[in-house]
Amino acid sequence: MAILLGLVIGIGSMLGGFMAMGGHVGVIWQPFEYVIIVGIALGTFIIANPMAIIKDAGAGIFEAMKGTAPKRSDYLSILSLLFALMRDLRTRPRNEVEAHIDDPANSVLFQHFPSILKDKELTAYICDYVRLIIIGNARSHEIEGLMEQEISTIKKHKLKSAGALGTVAEALPAIGICAAVLGIVKAMGAIDQSPEILGHYIASALIGTFVGIFLSYAVLSPVAGKIKILREKQCQPFVIVKQTLIAFMNGALPQVALEHGRKTISSKERPTIDEVENEAISNTPSSSAAPMQQAA
């Protein structure tokens, strides 16, 4: 909704100001200029990027429209799951904990947090490093380095589509000039016409430059920027998991380890200590039924 609101304000201000200056809105509507600009931009985008990034760019635009990013409730779910896993690592046999991480889709514990289970990448990240903790031979600083490297890889992958869209946004002013040059060529072909007709052709050509600049700085560049912001926020759960599990590996109690993870969250979205106490610790479900269910 924010993107739509911004576009309405931007386009409305542009058209309103143009009309207030005495301009004719009909002059701005040059459909073939739009076809040239959008077509070249789309073609270069397809040439420059593999299909996976092209599809991810579409998903990123959809996420930007919806404002898809982790919320306070999502952070509480992550902390709750981590607390349950750390509690089981301290109090339950190894095979019971392994039952959860080997098959999280059928784990009673993971099923209690569908938002986490839905994110396959985050689920795999949690399970992989809990499994390393169970093995018990790895040192905490080695695991921390490995986790940081994986987060860096995940972040780089998530930001590729935003970077690709940003590259097209940077090229749009030049693409608009291409459309304008073609319009000028057309105008020069009518140099023997009346000044009124020639002026109309030149004005139509200049629309190409305007559209290229407008689409670049007022549409695509802000959308790419928002995708980048949202995707960076989507990496935050991985940081929470890293800080929490590393603190646990270094000997912190589960309650204390949760605080290490909680402190990595932005202050505006960070759950309070009381919320973590009530939601993540006091109300965390027991996993004692999980092995029984699997055995059944």
Side-chain angles (χ1 to χ4, degrees):
M1 291 300 296
I3 290 180
L4 293 178
L5 178 61
L7 288 175
V8 168
I9 293 174
I11 295 175
S13 299
M14 180 266 294
L15 292 177
F18 182 67
M19 293 172 64
M21 292 187 299
H24 300 286
V25 177
V27 177
I28 297 178
W29 178 243
Q30 302 294 331
F32 293 112
E33 294 277 340
Y34 293 100
V35 170
I36 293 171
I37 295 170
V38 175
I40 294 176
L42 182 60
T44 55
F45 181 70
I46 293 174
I47 291 171
N49 299 286
M51 188 55 63
I53 293 181
I54 294 172
K55 292 180 179 179
D56 189 51
I61 293 173
F62 184 71
E63 291 173 5
M65 298 286 289
K66 292 181 62 179
T68 305
K71 301 177 176 60
R72 183 184 295 254
S73 59
D74 297 317
Y75 294 135
L76 283 171
S77 295
I78 294 170
L79 293 173
S80 297
L81 174 60
L82 291 174
F83 176 78
L85 289 171
M86 291 186 295
R87 178 190 59 194
D88 286 1
L89 285 169
R90 291 175 62 90
T91 61
R92 297 192 179 281
R94 170 177 172 174
N95 64 314
E96 290 188 13
V97 183
E98 285 182 332
H100 296 300
I101 62 175
D102 287 342
D103 189 11
N106 295 316
S107 164
V108 171
L109 191 58
F110 277 88
Q111 287 175 354
H112 191 77
F113 306 101
S115 62
I116 298 177
L117 199 57
K118 185 179 179 181
D119 189 338
K120 297 186 182 301
E121 194 169 29
L122 178 60
T123 300
Y125 185 83
I126 294 172
C127 292
D128 287 347
Y129 291 104
V130 171
R131 184 178 290 108
L132 289 177
I133 293 175
I134 293 174
I135 293 174
N137 292 328
R139 300 174 182 175
S140 61
H141 69 273
E142 295 173 343
I143 298 299
E144 184 175 11
L146 183 60
M147 296 176 89
E148 288 178 351
Q149 181 60 49
E150 185 169 358
I151 291 173
S152 176
T153 301
I154 291 170
K155 184 176 181 179
K156 185 183 299 183
H157 174 73
K158 284 182 174 291
L159 295 182
K160 282 183 179 179
S161 58
L165 290 174
T167 300
V168 176
E170 292 174 357
L172 272 170
I175 294 174
I177 292 174
C178 290
V181 169
L182 291 175
I184 293 296
V185 171
K186 176 185 174 182
M188 291 300 98
I191 195 68
D192 58 339
Q193 300 295 319
S194 65
E196 181 179 355
I197 295 176
L198 187 60
H200 177 76
Y201 284 160
I202 294 174
S204 299
L206 292 176
I207 292 300
T209 303
F210 159 73
V211 170
I213 295 173
F214 181 82
L215 290 179
S216 173
Y217 295 107
V219 179
L220 196 56
S221 185
V223 170
K226 185 162 188 178
I227 293 173
K228 181 180 179 181
I229 291 172
L230 292 177
R231 290 292 176 85
E232 287 177 343
K233 286 185 176 181
Q234 291 171 13
C235 293
Q236 185 59 38
F238 297 90
V239 178
I240 296 172
V241 173
K242 177 183 78 74
Q243 291 299 112
T244 301
L245 292 183
I246 291 301
F248 179 74
M249 290 187 69
N250 286 329
L253 294 173
Q255 294 91 332
V256 178
L258 286 187
E259 189 64 12
H260 284 255
R262 188 183 75 89
K263 286 297 186 180
T264 66
I265 304 172
S266 170
S267 60
K268 293 183 179 180
E269 300 165 338
R270 182 190 303 155
T272 65
I273 294 179
D274 291 337
E275 287 176 321
V276 174
E277 174 69 27
N278 295 330
E279 297 293 333
I281 298 178
S282 300
N283 295 330
T284 299
S286 174
S287 62
S288 58
M292 297 175 60
Q293 177 176 337
Q294 291 172 353

